[in-house]
Every structure is written in structure tokens, then in C-alpha cells.
Amino acid sequence: MPTQESSTPAQIVGAGFAGSVVARELVEAGHQACVIDKRLHIAGNAYDETDAHGVLVHRYAPHTFHTNGGHIFEYLSRFTEWLPYEHRVLGIVDGKRYPFPINRNTLNQLYDMDLDESGAEAFFERVREPREPALTREDVVLNSVGRDLYEKFFLNHTRKQWGLDASELKAGVAARIPARSNIDDRYFTDTLQVIPKHGYTQLFENILDQPNITVELEVDFENIRGEAKTSRTVYTGPIDAYFKYCFSRPPYRSLRFEHGHLPNVAHYQKVGTVNYPNDHAYASITEFKHLTGQRHTGTSIVREYPQEDGPPYYPIPRAENEALFKRHEELARQEPNITFVGRLAQYRYYNMDQVVGAAPAAAKRIIG
Ligand code: FAD
């Protein structure tokens, strides 16, 4: 049973996956929750909406749900039906499209070869530049695919995406995109790959649809700090903002999204996302109809332009940034009534399933 103290609503800052799932868990345990978000909408970066032309688009870049966590999929299945969706990506090199991540077909098409699986393994073994230990993104990529593939697919793309050389980034980022000797051209290999049948925003509406959850939009925590009558705050915004930038700020990579619509074009490109590692200021184009399976006479796309300034999207994986985050984390430990959870509060690149998986544990810590 909730205690007297817990009968005041918990204040949840952020209506993304972290805040929404914690709020749901709290009210299911008998508490009340007041969720605030400074944006005009719920769903955080997973927000999707029907654009002016009637096409369902993801406002903050494509979000594809993939997980090996059956329990996370089951949990979210309470709030949505799903459509199967396996994301596929092509990379344009010297004007031609190749499967990405690099697989055997990429090698055969690029170098006009006819390798089988063991031939592809032998090829990678021949061209790789062994790096022991592989500490940076450059090390990891050279170690697995060698110089030529690195220069064609990764060198410029990394600079564009991160504003840094691959040798300046920690190894973890490259581990997301291994090379394959088979012909699996899916971007992810997780056992469950789906998309919410009626979109992410509706999934969030269902999570938050509880009498004991109130949602207040366009409310910035900075403007109401200390005003709420609550014994517990769950904070999913940037941790440095919570501590009023008392140290220097851990840097983020931002993005600008240029959405567009092409009337009377059934499909703009062959797959969900096409990467442009070497050309243009944008890093990729995504066509939403591939993701959602929507039928429409036209099609909507988004170009992603990586940039330094703007909303915080990607924590930059460098040792000094993590050290700076740790200093914030130390301060967070001294705040017994605040729980810091989610991508921005934990300064980690988390996929949606990781955030959903972590939120119930955060709620349990609050419930005690
Ligand atoms: P968010 O979704 O960022 O939610 C945090 C919320 O807090 C925001 O709505 C924000 O407005 C609010 N907030 C912040 N500060 C304040 C404040 N002071 N006052 C009030 N509200 C505040 N994951 C996948 O699994 N698959 C993908 O395909 C995928 N693609 C991605 C593409 C991009 C470009 C990005 C950036 C991320 C992608 N992700 C993807 C990751 C996914 O977006 C995150 O895992 C997920 O959104 C994290 O949820 P969250 O609640 O921690 O953060």
C-alpha cells in the first residue's frame, strides 16, 4: 500500500520511454504520477505524427524497435499491436548503392567478386589491419574490414556524423555495425524486430492512459523547480541541466531534420534508409513508408544533417566525457529523493528497449 508520504504525486520530468514507463509502473503500484514535458507532445524522441500529406512520419529520425529481450517486447505488447519490420540500409559509395553493414554481397558487388561465405571470411582476414587492443572506432573498423572499406564506408561518415575522426571515438560506437561474411542485409540482428502498428505516439498514449497519471506539456522543469508538492522526482532530462551546468557540459551531437514529401511517388528509395557516407551535408535519407508499411500515393522522407549545436541527441563516446558524466553522477548520489533515469540523465546511447527494460527497476527503487 502507498504510504501517506507517497500519496502526493511523484513528479516525472520527461514523457519519453523512461518517464512514461516509470509513471505507469508507479501508478500500477498504487501511487500517483504527474508527468511534465517541455515539448508540445509526449513520446520523447520516439514521437511520430501524420504529416500534412497524411503520411505517418517520425519527427526525430526513424525509430525501429529491435530487441532480444522477450520480456520487454511482452511488456510493451500490453500497449500496442505490432507490425513486423526489419530495417535495411544501403550506403552510397562512388555513386553506387551497397548493402550496409558490409556483408558478402557488399564485397562481391564492390570488387566484382563471387565469394562464398568462407571466401568472404578469408577476404576479411587478408585485408584487415590487426589492432590489439582495439581502443578506438578506427581500430575496430580497420581490425575487421581493413583500410579500403574503412575509407569508403566509415572515414568520412564518422567525421560527418560525429564531427570527429574515428581515431578520437571510443570503440563501442563501431561495435554496433559489424561486418558479415554471410548475406544477411538486415541492419539489426535482434530476434524481435517490429514497429508499433498504430505508431509510437499511440503506444505512449496507452501507457499514460491511467486515472492516476496527469500529463502536463510545455512545462519546463527549470521553470517550476521546487514548486511541486512531491516527495519524489524522476528526472529524465540532461543531468548537467539538472545540476545547473556546475561543471563544464558533457557534449552531445545534434541533428537537424529536413522533412519532405513527394506527391505521386510510390517509393523514393529501395529501403528504409540510405546512407551518404561521402557526399552531401546530410548523412542519410529515410523513407517512412518502408518502416510503417503505409499505403499512400505519395511518400515522405527525412534528411538527417549532423551538427554540433541544437537539441542533445547523441552523447559523444569519449573518455573525458564519461569522466565528466561521472562527476555529475557523484552529485546525483547525494540527492536521495531524485531518480535519474534514461538516455539524457545517464549520458548513454540507449536504444528504446534498453530504456524500457531499465525503467521498471527505477520504479521499484522508488516504491522500495
Ligand atoms: P527521450 O525520448 O529523449 O525523452 C526525454 C524527454 O524529457 C524529452 O521528451 C524531453 O523533452 C524531456 N525533457 C528534457 N528536459 C526537460 C525539462 N527540463 N523539463 C521538461 N521536460 C524535459 N532507439 C531505438 O531503439 N531504435 C532506433 O531506431 C532509434 N533511433 C534513434 C534515432 C535518433 C536520431 C536518436 C536521437 C535516438 C534514437 N534511438 C533509437 C534512441 C531512442 O530515441 C531512445 O532510446 C529513447 O528515446 C530514450 O528515451 P528517454 O525517455 O530516455 O529519452
Side-chain angles (χ1 to χ4, degrees):
M1 285 297 286
T3 62
Q4 182 134 35
E5 191 190 44
S6 67
S7 65
T8 58
Q11 181 185 46
I12 317 280
V13 181
F17 269 113
S20 301
V21 173
V22 170
R24 180 77 188 208
E25 291 288 296
L26 290 179
V27 301
E28 286 189 0
H31 297 252
Q32 298 173 58
C34 173
V35 182
I36 62 164
D37 202 296
K38 64 181 180 184
R39 286 173 168 164
L40 277 163
H41 58 74
I42 57 171
N45 284 340
Y47 178 67
D48 54 17
E49 59 189 335
T50 303
D51 70 9
H53 311 278
V55 180
L56 183 64
V57 301
H58 298 179
R59 189 183 286 186
Y60 308 100
H63 276 66
T64 66
F65 189 84
H66 51 97
T67 188
N68 290 319
H71 63 292
I72 295 169
F73 173 76
E74 291 303 323
Y75 178 82
L76 288 179
S77 300
R78 293 171 56 199
F79 309 111
T80 186
E81 293 172 61
W82 303 97
L83 294 173
Y85 174 69
E86 292 179 325
H87 196 50
R88 285 182 169 75
V89 174
L90 295 171
I92 307 271
V93 172
D94 297 331
K96 293 198 177 130
R97 294 164 165 44
Y98 298 99
F100 189 82
I102 293 165
N103 67 29
R104 194 165 86 229
N105 283 337
T106 316
L107 300 182
N108 285 338
Q109 289 166 24
L110 189 62
Y111 299 118
D112 197 17
M113 300 188 293
D114 190 20
L115 300 176
D116 59 12
E117 185 146 5
S118 58
E121 278 164 19
F123 177 89
F124 285 132
E125 200 46 46
R126 198 167 61 248
V127 297
R128 66 188 281 262
E129 289 184 15
R131 299 280 164 119
E132 247 345 294
L135 297 176
T136 67
R137 178 184 172 88
E138 183 185 64
D139 289 342
V140 172
V141 179
L142 288 173
N143 193 43
S144 65
V145 300
R147 177 80 42 188
D148 192 51
L149 290 165
Y150 169 71
E151 288 180 354
K152 285 182 161 65
F153 288 93
F154 295 91
L155 176 80
N156 296 323
H157 193 66
T158 307
R159 287 188 185 141
K160 196 193 286 189
Q161 193 78 15
W162 295 96
L164 291 168
D165 198 81
S167 60
E168 297 173 285
L169 290 166
K170 279 183 63 184
V173 184
R176 289 162 57 83
I177 34 171
R180 300 166 188 161
S181 51
N182 60 23
I183 54 167
D184 185 351
D185 63 346
R186 297 171 307 159
Y187 196 70
F188 303 107
T189 52
D190 302 51
T191 49
L192 292 157
Q193 303 193 32
V194 286
I195 197 123
K197 186 172 179 184
H198 304 291
Y200 287 98
T201 303
Q202 197 187 93
L203 185 165
F204 275 84
E205 281 164 4
N206 292 338
I207 295 176
L208 294 168
D209 182 21
Q210 287 284 296
N212 281 339
I213 299 180
T214 55
V215 179
E216 295 176 13
L217 299 176
E218 287 188 275
V219 178
D220 191 329
F221 175 73
E222 290 313 318
N223 300 332
I224 58 157
R225 225 178 230 268
E227 284 176 17
K229 287 196 174 55
T230 183
S231 54
R232 170 58 74 172
T233 295
V234 176
Y235 186 84
T236 75
I239 193 165
D240 50 318
Y242 181 86
F243 291 110
K244 300 189 171 169
Y245 314 110
C246 63
F247 307 123
S248 60
R249 303 178 66 175
Y252 281 89
R253 193 69 175 155
S254 192
L255 289 168
R256 178 169 70 79
F257 305 110
E258 188 181 276
H259 284 267
H261 181 79
L262 297 108
N264 302 317
V265 173
H267 274 300
Y268 177 75
Q269 57 193 29
K270 274 195 170 153
V271 293
T273 296
V274 175
N275 282 349
Y276 293 81
N278 305 312
D279 320 296
H280 307 294
Y282 49 84
S284 64
I285 299 182
T286 292
E287 181 178 11
F288 292 104
K289 276 167 60 177
H290 285 290
L291 277 70
T292 60
Q294 186 180 355
R295 284 166 194 267
H296 194 285
T297 50
T299 194
S300 294
I301 59 171
V302 65
R303 289 185 170 81
E304 289 181 41
Y305 292 81
Q307 59 184 24
E308 200 173 320
D309 299 322
Y313 289 121
Y314 296 114
I316 300 180
R318 305 189 71 191
E320 62 261 42
N321 300 343
E322 274 174 30
L324 190 51
F325 166 69
K326 294 264 174 241
R327 293 179 72 190
H328 289 90
E329 205 179 26
E330 199 47 53
L331 290 181
R333 277 199 201 98
Q334 293 158 33
E335 300 271 349
N337 296 322
I338 320 271
T339 302
F340 293 87
V341 61
R343 196 178 59 88
L344 297 164
Q346 295 176 274
Y347 196 68
R348 281 276 174 284
Y349 185 87
Y350 283 140
N351 282 320
M352 294 182 282
D353 65 322
Q354 293 170 297
V355 174
V356 172
K364 275 202 189 85
R365 286 198 298 276
I366 296 166
I367 298 159

